[in-house]
Amino acid sequence: MGLVERNSHRWRRDLAVTACCAAAVAEADRTGDPGQRAARLIDCLGVLRSTHGAGSAAALDMRALRRGLRQGLTPLLPIEGEGEDPLGEVRLVDSDGLLCDAVEDLGREHFVSQQALMEYWPWARLRAEQEEQQLYSEIRRLPPEDYAKVRELLASHPVAEQGVLWEKWGGLWGRFGFFEPVSSWPWCNAAGWCFPCPVCAWPMRAQPAGGGVFAVSCDAHLLEGAQYTCRQDRGGSGPPVLEGGGCSAGRVEGFPAAGDYLAVSRTVWRYLTLPGRMEFAIRDALTDIAGLEVFMYPEGDRYDLRIMATDPLVAREWRVDAKAWRSFDALADALLERPVLGAAVPLIIVVPHRRRSDLPRLRERLAGRPDLEVMTDKDFVTTVLRWCRAEL
């Protein structure tokens, strides 16, 4: 079995285990809202069916799910090869309909918090939380140089052929489950082709618009002009030609939605690729400025960048943490949960320039935290360059 197949199976099995834990909590609950409980079970059943092949998925219904939770997970987990899954005999709900201790154990091992399970988080939120915790836990164990290399690779090459990724990652390749086969993502398939966003390089969403036409756009960079149309060319051998797009969107070359093309998961894209591209753009804009030193991921990645004035007569330091969250309210909640920083240098939260109209709301939410400042990535670079011209 090749690396792509192994990674795909690991990803599907991880999904299945998480869904089983969530289903067990819903199944054992007899005090909550029955409609919510039923919706959670249906949600988990749909996830489980998606992890199986067409043949075995057809046998998975609500009765099979409830039986598997009580009698053993074997029929609920995707099968790989001839061997038996070591979790196959695990029971998550006992004969009295109560949760088994294995639910908490598996939740911890698969980065699913007990609070998330008990509060009936929607599947998308639960999975995103799980993946974010897992990916940060994995890479923070790396030595500083390898950590910085992984962060830059995830930012600069979020999609490529496996051979290209293998060459760039070197000895780090295969240690992490960041990448998924693009062939398993129907949402970015336009007549058998995918198109990387000209801004972030991740596959853009492709939606049929009727008459053989697809609307192709990036969820994060629509405002930057990453929106196109293309027409299915049944007689051509190459990718369809994208038309339209904003003035800032460059030409895009498609690649086959099959074979060995891999892309980072949506969670990696949202929480590592997008902020990473801001981080390295800031680094590149300030690295060659006389009188400045730029450090990536200092102090064990407590924040993303430290920029320091090297002239001892003009002491100045900036500490930056880049964020590309979709919800600024959720970002404010997360920032307010952080302990107040005792350092004299405030932490500058940098967000994409396209979100500048949302900054007043975020600043209002953080008004009671003088240790936190907020600005866009472009405004931050401009601020530092202006200071350099005035002081150095």
Side-chain angles (χ1 to χ4, degrees):
M1 178 177 292
L3 181 61
V4 173
E5 290 81 5
R6 286 198 300 274
N7 284 341
S8 176
H9 175 77
R10 182 173 62 182
W11 175 70
R12 290 185 291 110
R13 184 179 180 277
D14 187 52
L15 279 180
V17 171
T18 307
C20 287
C21 289
V25 173
E27 177 68 8
D29 180 39
R30 291 294 185 272
T31 61
D33 180 87
Q36 187 183 59
R37 173 174 173 263
R40 185 64 177 270
L41 284 169
I42 293 171
D43 193 18
C44 294
L45 179 61
V47 172
L48 281 172
R49 289 174 64 90
S50 73
T51 66
H52 289 252
S56 55
L60 269 178
D61 55 17
M62 191 59 69
R63 180 178 299 178
L65 170 60
R66 287 177 162 143
R67 184 171 59 247
L69 295 176
R70 288 170 169 80
Q71 299 179 7
L73 300 181
T74 293
L76 305 182
L77 302 179
I79 300 172
E80 179 185 23
E82 301 292 333
E84 295 183 357
D85 195 302
L87 295 181
E89 300 301 317
V90 173
R91 294 169 173 79
L92 301 184
V93 178
D94 67 18
S95 58
D96 295 322
L98 301 176
L99 276 181
C100 297
D101 292 340
V103 174
E104 184 173 355
D105 294 339
L106 289 177
R108 291 181 184 278
E109 293 168 6
H110 286 264
F111 299 92
V112 183
S113 70
Q114 198 74 359
Q115 178 186 8
L117 291 173
M118 296 305 179
E119 290 183 356
Y120 292 94
W121 282 8
W123 174 260
R125 182 185 175 192
L126 187 150
R127 181 60 180 168
E129 180 83 5
Q130 177 196 39
E131 287 188 352
E132 185 182 5
Q133 290 182 38
Q134 185 170 8
L135 66 90
Y136 275 111
S137 176
E138 288 177 345
I139 64 176
R140 278 177 174 156
R141 292 194 293 264
L142 292 170
E145 289 186 3
D146 288 342
Y147 178 87
K149 179 180 179 180
V150 168
R151 292 292 302 267
E152 186 160 14
L153 285 169
L154 293 175
S156 60
H157 291 82
V159 60
E161 282 188 287
Q162 179 181 328
V164 174
L165 294 169
W166 201 328
E167 180 180 352
K168 290 185 175 296
W169 281 68
L172 293 170
W173 179 249
R175 294 178 56 181
F176 310 102
F178 297 144
F179 288 85
E180 300 171 7
V182 175
S183 58
S184 67
W185 293 354
W187 56 266
C188 64
N189 187 324
W193 295 87
C194 294
F195 297 90
C197 171
V199 182
C200 67
W202 200 59
M204 291 188 284
R205 186 175 299 278
Q207 295 179 312
V213 175
F214 288 86
V216 181
S217 63
C218 176
D219 291 348
H221 297 109
L222 198 64
L223 297 179
E224 278 89 336
Q227 51 180 324
Y228 306 84
T229 60
C230 70
R231 183 175 297 277
Q232 185 175 359
D233 184 3
R234 298 185 183 277
S237 58
V241 177
L242 295 186
E243 299 177 355
C247 59
S248 62
R251 180 176 175 81
V252 176
E253 293 291 339
F255 60 88
D260 290 336
Y261 278 92
L262 306 176
V264 298
S265 71
R266 184 179 181 86
T267 300
V268 175
W269 169 71
R270 170 62 65 182
Y271 296 110
L272 288 180
T273 299
L274 292 181
R277 293 180 81 88
M278 284 195 291
E279 296 157 11
F280 291 105
I282 292 171
R283 178 201 65 181
D284 294 344
L286 300 177
T287 292
D288 295 327
I289 304 301
L292 292 183
E293 287 187 352
V294 181
F295 303 93
M296 299 294 295
Y297 312 117
E299 300 184 30
D301 192 26
R302 288 181 57 198
Y303 46 93
D304 298 323
L305 296 108
R306 176 193 289 161
I307 298 99
M308 300 181 67
T310 57
D311 188 335
L313 299 179
V314 187
R316 185 63 197 267
E317 177 182 351
W318 296 266
R319 299 181 180 184
V320 177
D321 209 7
K323 300 295 183 185
W325 291 40
R326 182 183 293 271
S327 169
F328 272 14
D329 282 333
L331 174 58
D333 290 340
L335 292 172
L336 290 171
E337 290 176 0
R338 289 184 175 186
V340 177
L341 301 175
V345 179
L347 182 64
I348 300 174
I349 305 300
V350 167
V351 300
H353 193 66
R354 64 180 180 276
R355 302 294 304 275
R356 58 190 178 277
S357 61
D358 297 320
L359 283 184
R361 169 64 175 164
L362 184 57
R363 286 174 175 149
E364 179 183 352
R365 291 286 312 276
L366 301 177
R369 291 290 301 267
D371 58 324
L372 300 174
E373 295 182 9
V374 183
M375 63 180 68
T376 71
D377 50 350
K378 291 184 179 179
D379 287 343
F380 172 73
V381 170
T382 300
T383 297
V384 175
L385 293 178
R386 284 176 178 169
W387 183 90
C388 290
R389 287 194 290 267
E391 301 291 341
L392 295 179

